[in-house]
Amino acid sequence: MKSLISFVVLLFAVLVHAISSSGDRLLVVLEDVAEKDGYSKFLGDLEGRGFQVNYETPKSEGLSLFHLGERSYDHVLFLPTKSKGLGPNLTPKLLLDFINANGNILLALSASQPAPTSLVSLLLELDIHLPPDRQGLVVDHFNYDSLSAPEKHDVLLLPTPGALRPDIKDFFSPVSTNGELIAFPNGMGQTLGSGALLTPVLRAPSTAYSYNPKEQAETLDDLFASGSQLSLVTTMQARNSARFTVVGSADMLSDKWFDAKVKTVGGKKEVSTLNREFAKSVAGWTFKETGVLRVNWIEHHLNEPGQSNASNPKIYRIKNDVTYSISLSEYSWDKYIPFTVPESDDLQLEFSMLSPFHRLKLNPTISSEDSTTYSTTFKLPDQHGIFNFKVNYKRPFYTNVEEKNTVSVRHFAHDEWPRSFVISGAWPWIAGIGATVTGWMAFCAIWLYSKPTAAGESKKTQ
């Protein structure tokens, strides 16, 4: 009975820990622990999905991201604080070290409170730029909520972002059945540099702009940014697949806007917001509940009749026929599912030395409940040396897949060359050799069997 109870407890623990592929320890940093009541639904959803949430303030003495060189937390959520800095335990260097140690960070900003200098410095390291005074308000005089912001126009109503490109899976667009919209209240926009790791999820409409709300002038001559220059929700996935997300409006995560009713300018009816579903998708991606790829196994072997065709040999021969297979799974919320490459995209294999000799498309061959196997068959090049089977799949919103298997490719052995009579190009040479030998043998036969003239007969004739 005790063993059965232990097994059930262990199974429950495994299911709880399975909610995130990188761990369930979540640190929430906010100005006052009592402020969590304003985000009770968002935080409650995280706890309901199995996260162990720990609440701390920047001034907490026991706050530490690392303990004995290891991460104390798997994820960090920053909510707006009034502190100008975050103290010695949350410096930009420590936050960068946390990202380099595969930690994930979700940062929520607010236009009503300047961003802490530590976070501004961290954003600059990642090539994400905030207004110079660390405070800015995004407004739109055409796409605002006529119920809550009829004068300030600081509550933007936006449709779901949709897919970034046709070859990229959409992780951030909840289903809108009755015209629901995303409310972005009291938000701060960001501008992005040219970093290849940055991806905007939600951009501002073309009629939106960002300004300093402290400026009371009737006309604004110096805008921080406008239109699609403004990113409202930004993601960054590091080369080690650690994730960092900036949400420009912390209010959109609050209970007020999870259940709010909104109405567009000129709209005929009120609609609900999609903030709860959108917040779930953003937090789920940041904390690696979605978009995580796993390599289950890799196999390469000879594909020739009469050979051993053993798995993953260390050496091949030039011009061998070889089959390469890789099994991939995608983590989606609480389980692994088969990974499917988008229709407009390809999963490729490179067979390379210093540069690729082959770059081939991997095609799905086997699919199970939690994985898909991609394979291809090809002939090795007529070049000996050290080669690599390499799969390098890096796409926005997916964790990186970079697998390399090194093998040696040798020449033909002496007893592996084909016989000369099999090669049609050698037939003229074989014929020439045969003619030479035949002619020599004929000459020898004539020479040996030709009787010379006798010496006496020649004198008599004289």
Side-chain angles (χ1 to χ4, degrees), residues 134-166:
R134 301 182 291 119
Q135 189 174 9
L137 179 66
V138 179
V139 297
D140 191 335
H141 302 301
F142 297 91
N143 302 286
Y144 62 91
D145 180 22
S146 59
L147 298 179
S148 60
E151 297 181 358
K152 293 184 177 181
H153 303 172
D154 59 351
V155 180
L156 277 63
L157 298 182
L158 308 169
T160 55
L164 184 66
R165 297 198 309 258

Side-chain angles (χ1 to χ4, degrees), residues 252-396:
M252 72 182 301
L253 307 178
S254 64
D255 297 347
K256 174 183 177 182
W257 291 100
F258 273 19
D259 301 325
K261 295 288 185 178
V262 294
K263 183 179 179 182
T264 58
V265 179
K268 296 181 180 179
K269 63 176 183 178
E270 300 178 3
V271 296
S272 302
T273 63
L274 286 172
N275 285 30
R276 188 166 193 167
E277 294 79 5
F278 182 70
K280 177 183 178 181
S281 61
V282 170
W285 181 86
T286 306
F287 299 150
K288 290 186 177 179
E289 297 176 83
T290 59
V292 178
L293 299 183
R294 182 185 68 181
V295 178
N296 301 310
W297 51 264
I298 294 175
E299 182 188 27
H300 53 86
H301 59 83
L302 283 173
N303 188 22
E304 295 183 353
Q307 301 294 331
S308 63
N309 297 338
S311 297
N312 303 329
K314 295 296 183 181
I315 187 168
Y316 288 101
R317 194 205 67 208
I318 60 174
K319 296 185 177 181
N320 271 147
D321 291 326
V322 174
T323 296
Y324 178 90
S325 301
I326 182 171
S327 175
L328 295 173
S329 299
E330 176 185 351
Y331 193 76
S332 180
W333 296 112
D334 59 350
K335 62 180 180 180
Y336 280 99
I337 62 175
F339 170 63
T340 302
V341 178
E343 294 183 359
S344 303
D345 195 13
D346 287 334
L347 178 66
Q348 295 180 335
L349 167 70
E350 290 184 359
F351 190 72
S352 61
M353 187 183 290
L354 295 177
S355 59
F357 278 67
H358 289 294
R359 184 177 285 118
L360 307 168
K361 178 182 178 181
L362 290 167
N363 298 307
T365 55
I366 303 173
S367 182
S368 63
E369 295 181 356
D370 60 352
S371 65
T372 302
T373 301
Y374 292 84
S375 304
T376 187
T377 300
F378 65 100
K379 186 180 291 293
L380 297 183
D382 189 5
Q383 174 68 44
H384 71 285
I386 306 300
F387 284 83
N388 296 311
F389 293 99
K390 188 174 182 180
V391 175
N392 188 9
Y393 189 78
K394 297 177 180 178
R395 298 295 185 272

Side-chain angles (χ1 to χ4, degrees), residues 66 71 93-103 238 240 242:
F66 295 92
R71 293 196 324 262
K93 182 182 183 306
L94 287 174
L95 294 176
L96 282 176
D97 291 341
F98 184 76
I99 295 175
N100 291 332
N102 293 316
N240 63 352

Side-chain angles (χ1 to χ4, degrees), residues 155-230:
V155 180
L156 277 63
L157 298 182
L158 308 169
T160 55
L164 184 66
R165 297 198 309 258
D167 60 334
I168 295 177
K169 184 177 179 178
D170 184 10
F171 290 95
F172 305 98
S173 295
V175 179
S176 175
T177 56
N178 297 315
E180 295 90 348
L181 298 170
I182 298 174
F184 188 83
N186 195 29
M188 184 189 306
Q190 317 103 46
T191 58
L192 309 181
S194 58
L197 305 178
L198 296 173
T199 307
V201 171
L202 189 65
R203 286 192 179 272
S206 58
T207 52
Y209 62 90
S210 176
Y211 79 104
N212 188 347
K214 295 181 180 179
E215 298 178 1
Q216 299 298 330
E218 295 182 359
T219 60
L220 298 174
D221 299 328
D222 187 15
L223 294 177
F224 170 62
S226 62
S228 59
Q229 296 175 336
L230 287 169

